[in-house]
């Protein structure tokens, strides 16, 4: 796989709540590794919106196990994860593989039955693809971020626009 192929998600969605957990389960998935910031909650928000929490419960009812995988610190990640009663891995160092391996161990699922859902190409998608995991890219929930993330976003928007122009990465369910 060339390095650029590892930056192409398997699927797109406007938000995690736009995904159909029952359809993911029918596709053969048993586990979801989900990013925290801008995927489950907006920047600096400490609790899940009711619609997001309802979606997580729906995923579990569909037979999917969910683990939060975040590059953010343990205090924030654990507080959020405990409030929605999910396992989590903080300081994940995505796109490095160690955090993904820990998340798979917590889920008890294999790579081919686990999907990654996240809003960043250079951490979530790249890490997932390097691990052989199915990668779903979602649109970020909130635009307020640290400067470092912001400059990466500029690159990311250009990359995503280029992929869409080339017809790479189909909208989820299309
Ligand atoms: Mg994120």
């Amino acid at each position: 796989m060339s390095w650029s192929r590892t930056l192409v998600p398997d699927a797109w969605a406007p938000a995690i709540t736009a995904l159909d957990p029952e359809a993911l389960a029918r596709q053969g998935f048993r586990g979801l590794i989900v990013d925290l910031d801008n995927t489950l909650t907006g920047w600096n928000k400490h609790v899940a919106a009711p619609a997001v929490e309802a979606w997580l419960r729906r995923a579990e009812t569909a037979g999917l196990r969910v683990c939060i995988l975040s590059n953010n610190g343990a205090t924030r990640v654990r507080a959020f994860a405990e409030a929605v009663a999910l396992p989590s891995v903080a300081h994940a160092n995505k796109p490095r593989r160690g955090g993904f391996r820990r998340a798979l161990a917590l889920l008890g699922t294999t790579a081919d039955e686990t999907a990654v859902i996240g809003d960043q190409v250079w951490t979530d998608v790249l890490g997932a693809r390097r691990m052989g995991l199915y990668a779903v890219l979602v649109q970020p929930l909130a635009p307020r971020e640290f400067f470092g993330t912001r400059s990466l976003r500029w690159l990311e928007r250009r990359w995503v626009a280029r992929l869409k122009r080339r017809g790479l990465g189909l909208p989820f369910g299309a």
Side-chain angles (χ1 to χ4, degrees):
M1 201 187 318
S2 78
W3 73 268
S4 60
R5 295 296 302 173
T6 62
L7 295 174
V8 181
D10 295 287
W12 310 84
I16 191 169
T17 49
L19 294 164
D20 181 355
E22 291 81 11
L24 287 168
R26 279 196 303 274
Q27 269 181 268
F29 293 111
R30 296 288 168 265
L32 301 177
I33 294 174
V34 181
D35 171 53
L36 175 59
D37 292 296
N38 277 321
T39 298
L40 284 173
T41 187
W43 189 84
N44 218 18
K45 292 235 169 68
H46 296 281
V47 289
V52 170
E53 188 158 5
W55 188 91
L56 291 169
R57 300 288 88 88
R58 212 179 118 205
E60 288 175 328
T61 306
L64 297 163
R65 294 182 183 184
V66 183
C67 180
I68 295 173
L69 181 70
S70 174
N71 283 357
N72 214 324
T75 309
R76 165 159 169 75
V77 175
R78 207 174 294 149
F80 186 97
E82 278 172 10
V84 289
L86 290 178
S88 64
V89 176
H91 297 296
N93 276 321
K94 293 179 279 185
R96 300 193 64 172
R97 280 171 273 211
F100 289 94
R101 288 203 190 96
R102 273 184 287 154
L104 284 174
L106 285 170
L107 289 169
T109 56
T110 61
D112 59 357
E113 61 187 10
T114 308
V116 174
I117 304 171
D119 68 295
Q120 286 191 267
V121 171
W122 268 272
T123 54
D124 304 307
V125 173
L126 177 58
R129 298 297 309 258
R130 290 178 75 204
M131 284 289 293
L133 298 160
Y134 188 87
V136 184
L137 181 69
V138 295
Q139 243 160 48
L141 285 174
R144 275 195 63 213
E145 287 169 303
F146 295 113
F147 178 74
T149 311
R150 258 194 348 246
S151 33
L152 206 53
R153 286 274 183 220
W154 180 82
L155 268 173
E156 196 161 64
R157 273 198 306 274
R158 288 173 57 115
W159 175 254
V160 168
R162 189 172 136 196
L163 292 180
K164 285 186 172 166
R165 272 202 308 277
R166 292 186 175 190
L168 285 168
L170 290 169
F172 192 80

